[in-house]
Amino acid sequence: MGRFVVVLDAAHGGDDGGAQLADSTAEKALTLALSVRLRSLLGARGFQVVTTREGNLNVEVNVRAQIANHANAAACLSLHASETGTGVHIFVSSLGPTEPTRFLAWKTAQSAYVMRSLKLASTVNSALEHSSVAGGTSTTGAETGPIPATLARTSLPGVDSMACPAVAVEMAPIRDANRKIVTEVTDPGYQTQVVESLAAAVLEWRTGGEAGSAGKGRLP
């Protein structure tokens, strides 16, 4: 099997704290923690992992894209967190699909990969559907079942310039039918299940052969 590189992009960092989460946790701290844990899981499975930041650094969005493109990544997961919504949100660029060309325009490079990014998002969604958060509520310790996941398309600065299959994965609290939070994003068990689901998705992505044409286009 050829070189298979996964890029993990922990959102925010430095003086960009991102969203304010439960227990006064900054998004930048949670995304970095997720990146570190996911890198360890993937490394143990034989993946080559490249990260856009290893510490509390402010990395400009174009630099994040450059890192992914220079790595000739087979997949990139941009990690985010929010107090809005429920479960895990999986975002794919809203750019329309185009045929890969020898040279890709910087701001729309993802358009040549967006169809395969949609397949990657579906793989992530499937992995989350097979996961569950044990002890999901502090009051009952009941099993909450599969992690709720939502797929959407949106403009993604940074990701839109990536010449590889790429998705943004955003953790949000898990809420019950009445929209009451039952599991916060800071819950260790929830984070473990998300990280393990993402690792399973990347493994499926590699074994399913979906990443084989990564890096066909080149940026000027």
Side-chain angles (χ1 to χ4, degrees):
M1 181 176 292
R3 183 170 174 267
F4 192 102
V5 181
V6 179
V7 171
L8 302 180
D9 174 32
H12 309 288
D15 58 7
D16 175 14
Q20 192 72 13
L21 307 173
D23 305 321
S24 299
T25 298
E27 182 182 1
K28 67 176 183 179
L30 191 146
T31 60
L32 182 59
L34 294 176
S35 177
V36 169
R37 293 180 65 180
L38 185 52
R39 180 191 62 193
S40 178
L41 281 181
L42 293 176
R45 289 164 170 78
F47 290 93
Q48 183 175 346
V49 181
V50 174
T51 56
T52 58
R53 68 181 178 97
E54 290 289 321
N56 185 25
L57 305 174
N58 193 342
V59 184
E60 201 265 335
V61 291
N62 284 334
V63 174
R64 295 171 187 268
Q66 288 171 355
I67 291 171
N69 294 341
H70 290 164
N72 194 24
C76 176
L77 302 180
S78 183
L79 306 173
H80 299 258
S82 173
E83 283 291 295
T84 303
T86 183
V88 175
H89 310 145
I90 308 164
F91 294 104
V92 176
S93 171
S94 58
L95 290 171
T98 60
E99 291 296 320
T101 58
R102 181 176 175 82
F103 295 105
L104 302 172
W106 176 256
K107 290 186 178 180
T108 58
Q110 179 62 197
S111 63
Y113 295 85
V114 72
M115 296 305 295
R116 299 185 55 250
S117 294
L118 286 166
K119 291 183 179 180
L120 176 59
S122 178
T123 303
V124 172
N125 181 67
S126 178
L128 290 166
E129 286 180 345
H130 290 87
S131 182
S132 62
V133 183
T137 71
S138 59
T139 54
T140 66
E143 179 121 349
T144 60
I147 297 172
T150 305
L151 285 79
R153 304 285 300 277
T154 190
S155 175
L156 296 169
V159 169
D160 284 347
S161 297
M162 291 181 180
C164 63
V167 298
V169 179
E170 181 182 75
M171 278 187 69
I174 294 178
R175 303 173 188 269
D176 62 18
N178 297 316
R179 307 297 296 170
K180 178 182 178 182
I181 293 176
V182 295
T183 309
E184 277 287 5
V185 294
T186 51
D187 181 87
Y190 182 21
Q191 293 180 21
T192 295
Q193 292 296 331
V194 169
V195 168
E196 290 179 348
S197 295
L198 293 178
V202 173
L203 182 60
E204 174 61 27
W205 184 247
R206 180 175 68 177
T207 58
E210 294 289 354
S213 57
K216 280 188 174 178
R218 288 293 181 270
L219 291 161

